[in-house]
Amino acid sequence: MKYNNIFMLMLMALLFAVSSCSDDDEISSTSVFEDVTTKQKNEFDTWLENNYRKPFNIDFKYRYSDKESDLSYNVIPAEFEKSMGLAILVKYMWLDVYTETVNMEFMKTNVPRIIQLTGSYKWNSNGSQVLGTAEGGLKIMFYGVNELDLDNARVNSDNPYESHYVRPLDMNYWFFHTMHHEFCHILTQKKNYDTSFRSISAATYHATDWINLEDKKVAKEGFVSAYGSSEYNEDFAEIYATYVTNSAEGWQKILDAAGPEGTAILNQKLDIVKDYFKNSWGYELDNLRKTIMEHSAQVPSLNLRKLP
């Protein structure tokens, strides 16, 4: 009798477990987290295969993945429609731009192998917001994807001092600038730039208090942004990204804010940046900016809800 009771208890527990699993399946059969063993390809996955992986060997990850995320931050997955819209924009405003301006081989060789999307932003303990990161030239992380307005994509190339929180959000500041900034880091990790750049503002970098500074005010010290004033690598990448994503009018606004002394410093730095990309990578920044401006003008007319 004792053994029969034990058997009955085990049988009841098994039936309860099966019932519980069945109930859970009825709640949701789809996960926002990546599971490579059960993931089924959809139309977007096929488009990514044809536009990212096959031509450039880029794994565009829009599903949330623990192993690709920084678990020390609380972030949320990117929404599916926003991910699709950003994938269209990244191809048009980054992959297509460099392919047209430089060449396909350059992009195949130097693009990161992983692009990971995250729905929310990372916030550091000092209050700074992380828009994107580049890791060892192999991966770029884009944050804040869920802030993308699919029906009102706006590009501000003429006023670098516009409030970053004007709606609809400026795609230049929140996404395109980040793409070029992080790509610059990837390229400079492969080929060093002139070390004389480091000494130009060596005495005026704001390693710890840059978060409290304003972009317009640091221009007088020869920086294009407060973040660029944090250290020389960020300074270099900020000049690059700011120059190519701003029109001649936008860049002139920075020089006007810089005044004569700041302008002299900015021009000295820009000359080194231009020489580096011409001599090390074979393209002119002004040609790249021209292509970016042409594409930027078309962004508002793109249908970000439909794959091209």
Side-chain angles (χ1 to χ4, degrees):
M1 180 65 68
K2 178 179 178 181
Y3 296 108
N4 287 340
N5 289 340
I6 293 175
F7 175 77
M8 288 300 294
L9 288 171
M10 292 176 63
L11 180 61
M12 290 175 65
L14 178 62
L15 289 172
F16 178 77
V18 171
S19 175
S20 298
C21 291
S22 178
D23 290 343
D24 287 345
D25 289 341
E26 292 176 4
I27 294 174
S28 175
S29 60
T30 304
S31 175
V32 296
F33 301 97
E34 184 175 41
D35 183 354
V36 295
T37 61
T38 61
K39 183 176 63 178
Q40 293 183 344
K41 283 191 174 183
N42 53 44
E43 182 184 4
F44 182 33
D45 292 320
T46 301
W47 186 86
L48 290 174
E49 176 78 7
N50 293 329
N51 289 275
Y52 279 82
R53 198 198 66 78
K54 284 183 178 178
F56 300 105
N57 195 24
I58 297 174
D59 185 3
F60 192 99
K61 293 178 175 289
Y62 64 93
R63 295 179 175 89
Y64 183 84
S65 173
D66 282 341
K67 65 181 181 180
E68 301 294 348
S69 302
D70 187 341
L71 299 180
S72 61
Y73 291 85
N74 292 321
V75 294
I76 62 175
E79 297 172 12
F80 178 83
E81 287 190 345
K82 303 292 179 71
S83 299
M84 187 173 74
L86 187 59
I88 295 170
L89 283 170
V90 169
K91 179 182 183 300
Y92 184 70
M93 289 299 300
W94 181 47
L95 296 176
D96 291 353
V97 162
Y98 282 92
T99 299
E100 291 175 28
T101 307
V102 191
N103 54 61
M104 175 66 83
E105 193 59 36
F106 167 79
M107 291 305 284
K108 284 183 178 180
T109 304
N110 296 297
V111 293
R113 298 309 162 198
I114 296 173
I115 295 177
Q116 174 71 52
L117 305 188
T118 300
S120 56
Y121 297 109
K122 284 170 50 172
W123 290 88
N124 294 318
S125 58
N126 63 359
S128 61
Q129 196 174 25
V130 180
L131 305 184
T133 56
E135 300 180 11
L138 297 177
K139 178 171 71 173
I140 282 184
M141 302 282 291
F142 287 116
Y143 300 95
V145 175
N146 293 348
E147 295 297 319
L148 175 62
D149 188 337
L150 295 172
D151 301 311
N152 296 284
R154 182 178 69 90
V155 181
N156 166 32
S157 301
D158 299 327
N159 183 11
Y161 299 126
E162 175 189 77
S163 170
H164 301 318
Y165 300 98
V166 170
R167 297 283 179 164
L169 293 176
D170 171 27
M171 298 298 297
N172 237 2
Y173 175 77
W174 293 99
F175 294 106
F176 303 157
H177 178 99
T178 301
M179 287 187 284
H180 297 289
H181 177 106
E182 299 304 337
F183 193 44
C184 179
H185 279 317
I186 288 175
L187 295 176
T188 57
Q189 287 167 5
K190 292 186 174 185
K191 295 181 181 180
N192 292 326
Y193 54 87
D194 190 339
T195 56
S196 67
F197 183 93
R198 305 179 185 185
S199 62
I200 297 173
S201 295
T204 53
Y205 283 117
H206 301 272
T208 57
D209 65 334
W210 67 267
I211 187 63
N212 300 315
L213 304 177
E214 296 180 15
D215 292 346
K216 200 168 187 177
K217 291 186 177 179
V218 297
K220 295 184 183 300
E221 299 180 10
F223 302 111
V224 295
S225 68
Y227 185 53
S229 73
S230 61
E231 57 100 19
Y232 59 82
N233 283 319
E234 301 304 340
D235 190 7
F236 191 96
E238 277 292 276
I239 288 176
Y240 177 82
T242 300
Y243 186 78
V244 300
T245 58
N246 275 275
S247 64
E249 179 183 346
W251 183 256
Q252 187 59 48
K253 280 185 169 62
I254 295 175
L255 299 183
D256 291 342
E261 293 185 8
T263 294
I265 297 172
L266 284 170
N267 285 336
Q268 185 181 3
K269 292 178 180 178
L270 181 60
D271 285 344
I272 294 176
V273 174
K274 285 184 173 182
D275 286 345
Y276 167 76
F277 284 98
K278 180 180 180 179
N279 297 326
S280 296
W281 298 105
Y283 66 91
E284 301 273 0
L285 253 62
D286 289 304
N287 291 339
L288 180 67
R289 180 166 71 166
K290 180 177 181 293
T291 307
I292 291 172
M293 292 301 107
E294 292 170 351
H295 281 233
S296 296
Q298 299 302 315
V299 166
S301 64
L302 295 179
N303 184 351
L304 301 182
R305 295 185 179 274
K306 183 178 180 181
L307 294 171

